[in-house]
Each structure stands twice: as C-alpha cells, then as structure tokens.
Amino acid sequence: ALLDQVQGAEEVGAAIFQATFFRGEVVAKADVLEYAGGGQWDLYEVKSCSRSSYQKYLPDLAFTASAARRAGVSLRSTFMITVNTQGTSDSGVSLFDTIDCTDELLKAQEGLIQMLEESTVGESLDWALQATEGQVPEAKALLHCKKCELFSECVGKGLEHPIWELPRLSEKRFFELASQSLEVRGIDS
C-alpha cells in the first residue's frame, strides 16, 4: 500500500479500500486492508464465488499477498469474502462468508508464492493474469514441489517415478536433472 496510507491508518480496525501495493514494476490492489494491531494487517479479497469454489482464486490472493509483503506490509492473515449461498436478507443469515485462507495459502500455494517471489516481474504478472482469467499457469518445477498437496495435479501429474524420489537431492542437482526430465527414466547417467 502507499506507505503513507498504511502508516496513517494504524488504529485497530481501520481499513483501506483498494490498497495499492507496488515495488518496482509489480502492482496489485487488495480489496480491503484492515489494521490488526502490532504493526500487522489483515488482507481481504472479495470474490463473486461461493465457499465451494473459492480455491480457484487462491493464486490471485497469493499474488496480492506477495505484492503487499514486497511493499513492506506485514500481513497477519489473509481472507476471502465470498457469496453465502444459504444467506438471504429475510432470514438474517449473512449474504457473505469470510474464509480465513492464511494456512491454506501457505500450505497449498507455497510453491506459487515462492515462484511469484523469486520470479521476474514479467513472469509474476503473467502468472497472476492467467490465474485471474481461470487459466492454469505453466508449472515451474521446484525442489520443494513434492511437499505440495497439488503435486500430483501439477508438475508431478503423469510421472511414474519423479526425480523427487531420488535420495539426497540438492537444489543444484535437482535443477540439473530437471533440465533433462522430471521422470527418473528420462535422465542420462
């Protein structure tokens, strides 16, 4: 967020709408940035989806959170506000659900966050645009991918014996092997 916006709103519960984060050429906007106290902020993204389909928007939330951190904002939690399909104005049941995505974002999207933070500006923007348009960005194999819940749907999809099965695999050696193949059988000795 613009640093003066963030510093000027340090009262617990104070909110900045459409907070703009930028560092270098990376720019992102959070729908809501709410001060949580102790120098930390909660980031909210509002999406026109339900609790059953919010996961497809996690890459968008990951990109915004990454941009906020790059801009020097300390995030405590990340949330997605979605439509509550059970809510009606007559019943008193809220029309919106607030989903805490903090742990899920860190676990399921760990690889994406690292790719965004380690990538070039152009790659980050391309991945974010693809993700927000419902396209799956091209996967980039990283050493820690095997630990990700999405491994078998992502870089590990269709691999019988992926190189991650090799013992004592260093990051340097991983990238040397990955340049040949992600499948053990496809590697030259």
Side-chain angles (χ1 to χ4, degrees):
L2 297 172
L3 199 51
D4 56 339
Q5 267 186 317
V6 171
Q7 291 174 340
E10 290 183 342
E11 178 180 317
V12 174
I16 301 171
F17 297 91
Q18 292 296 302
T20 305
F21 308 109
F22 60 92
R23 184 168 176 205
E25 295 179 27
V26 175
V27 178
K29 284 188 178 189
D31 292 323
V32 181
L33 190 64
E34 181 180 40
Y35 189 64
Q40 294 193 310
W41 295 81
D42 291 336
L43 186 145
Y44 294 82
E45 285 292 315
V46 180
K47 298 297 178 192
S48 181
C49 65
S50 68
R51 183 175 285 276
S52 64
S53 62
Y54 77 95
Q55 291 89 352
K56 69 182 179 183
Y57 295 101
L58 285 173
D60 182 37
L61 183 59
F63 181 79
T64 305
S66 175
R69 287 187 184 102
R70 284 181 176 194
V73 176
S74 177
L75 295 179
R76 178 184 75 166
S77 300
T78 55
F79 298 92
M80 200 169 303
I81 298 174
T82 64
V83 175
N84 180 353
T85 57
Q86 306 302 312
T88 64
S89 57
D90 296 338
S91 70
V93 176
S94 176
L95 297 173
F96 303 100
D97 279 331
T98 302
I99 303 166
D100 186 342
C101 299
T102 308
D103 289 340
E104 189 171 7
L105 194 68
L106 292 174
K107 287 179 187 172
Q109 301 298 316
E110 185 177 277
L112 176 62
I113 293 168
Q114 183 173 344
M115 282 192 292
L116 291 173
E117 290 178 348
E118 292 179 356
S119 67
T120 66
V121 171
E123 288 174 325
S124 293
L125 296 176
D126 286 345
W127 289 326
L129 288 172
Q130 289 172 8
T132 57
E133 293 170 357
Q135 300 174 18
V136 177
E138 183 180 328
K140 179 178 178 183
L142 302 170
L143 181 59
H144 70 276
C145 285
K146 181 65 174 166
K147 297 176 185 175
C148 180
E149 293 174 16
L150 303 175
F151 178 77
S152 62
E153 300 168 30
C154 188
V155 294
K157 187 174 187 171
L159 298 177
E160 186 177 346
H161 294 289
I163 60 174
W164 288 268
E165 293 178 357
L166 297 172
R168 298 178 304 281
L169 191 59
S170 70
E171 191 165 5
K172 179 182 176 187
R173 183 69 176 141
F174 171 82
F175 285 112
E176 289 171 357
L177 296 175
S179 69
Q180 295 177 44
S181 174
L182 296 178
E183 181 71 60
V184 172
R185 282 188 270 175
I187 297 172
D188 296 331
S189 311

